[in-house]
Amino acid sequence: DVKVTQSSRYLVKRTGEKVFLECVQDMDHENMFWYRQDPGLGLRLIYFSYDVKMKEKGDIPEGYSVSREKKERFSLILESASTNQTSMYLCASSFPAGGIAEDTGELFFGEGSRLTVL
Amino acid sequence: SQKIEQNSEALNIQEGKTATLTCNYTNYSPAYLQWYRQDPGRGPVFLLLIRENEKEKRKERLKVTFDTTLKQSLFHITASQPADSATYLCALTNAGKSTFGDGTTLTVKP
């Protein structure tokens, strides 16, 4: 079974703390993504990575950074957590679309990390 | 700016009927469109994909249509069952990056 594993299902942090969210995939996917999901706002892309040590900003990168030192691992970092970063964070991975005929960029998601910042 | 709208936040239907969910978009030229299912507290799970040059795709009780002129996709679940109750998300993909709609929560009543 293919798998995307997020390190923590639930976290509670205080304002100003540094927060690390870890994601590991076992499918040898090149692409990895971090989304946040909020009621009424849907899934919004924070950052993505097409390869090791590469990163691209998504639609809402402010207040976040990422790290991809190994192909299977993509970390999301909140340098100084704030209450408006309370959310469900979802990691996903995929093959690049078009690499092989059937590679469509289908996303495989982890179970999510629900972060509460007090 | 790009905008994706799914027809309604919630849809309630009777078991055995066909559920039809709508995804409309503006200011976007997707290479393809995907539909995902999400259960409460879980990550989305891929269901179907349709490319820009395809009109219709089927998989078991699921059918997706894609009209790039109308900028609309319809997602149908035939012979719906209570187990189909979930939130359904459409996603537009281009250059490897996917943008999601807010989702429609489907409830199938027995």
Side-chain angles (χ1 to χ4, degrees), chain A residues 3-8 20-25 32-34 67-68 70-76 90-93 108-110 113:
Chain A
K3 211 161 181 186
V4 176
T5 303
Q6 294 185 227
S7 53
S8 306
F20 291 88
L21 299 178
E22 304 283 341
C23 175
V24 177
Q25 50 97 1
M32 295 190 76
F33 306 82
W34 275 106
S67 171
R68 187 140 182 229
K70 293 186 177 181
K71 189 176 185 180
E72 67 271 18
R73 188 179 296 268
F74 192 35
S75 303
L76 180 69
L90 288 159
C91 174
S93 70
F108 292 85
F109 282 89
S113 298

Side-chain angles (χ1 to χ4, degrees), chain B residues 91-102:
Chain B
L92 303 179
T93 304
N94 205 337
K97 195 175 125 178
S98 293
T99 303
F100 285 80
D102 291 350

Side-chain angles (χ1 to χ4, degrees), chain B residues 15-72:
Chain B
E15 183 176 7
K17 301 291 186 186
T18 296
T20 299
L21 287 67
T22 306
C23 178
N24 294 295
Y25 61 94
T26 55
N27 299 323
Y28 205 103
S29 296
Y32 45 88
L33 187 147
Q34 304 181 48
W35 283 90
Y36 288 79
R37 169 184 172 139
Q38 187 174 24
D39 291 291
R42 312 292 296 272
V45 175
F46 173 80
L47 294 174
L48 270 177
L49 173 146
I50 188 163
R51 299 176 192 275
E52 60 179 337
N53 59 352
E54 295 176 319
K55 296 288 184 192
E56 182 179 299
K57 202 72 141 333
R58 290 175 187 259
K59 179 182 175 183
E60 298 172 354
R61 294 185 296 111
L62 308 179
K63 183 178 92 170
V64 174
T65 63
F66 194 14
D67 188 327
T68 54
T69 303
L70 289 179
K71 296 187 183 296
Q72 181 182 78

Side-chain angles (χ1 to χ4, degrees), chain A residues 19-62:
Chain A
V19 181
F20 291 88
L21 299 178
E22 304 283 341
C23 175
V24 177
Q25 50 97 1
D26 65 0
M27 296 165 280
D28 202 34
H29 284 163
E30 280 84 354
N31 300 344
M32 295 190 76
F33 306 82
W34 275 106
Y35 288 86
R36 65 177 281 178
Q37 186 173 32
D38 301 285
L41 295 175
L43 275 88
R44 293 178 291 166
L45 182 63
I46 305 171
Y47 265 99
F48 58 104
S49 168
Y50 289 140
D51 203 349
V52 175
K53 295 197 186 294
M54 294 184 69
K55 60 184 179 185
E56 297 280 344
K57 291 181 180 178
D59 300 317
I60 51 162
E62 297 78 19

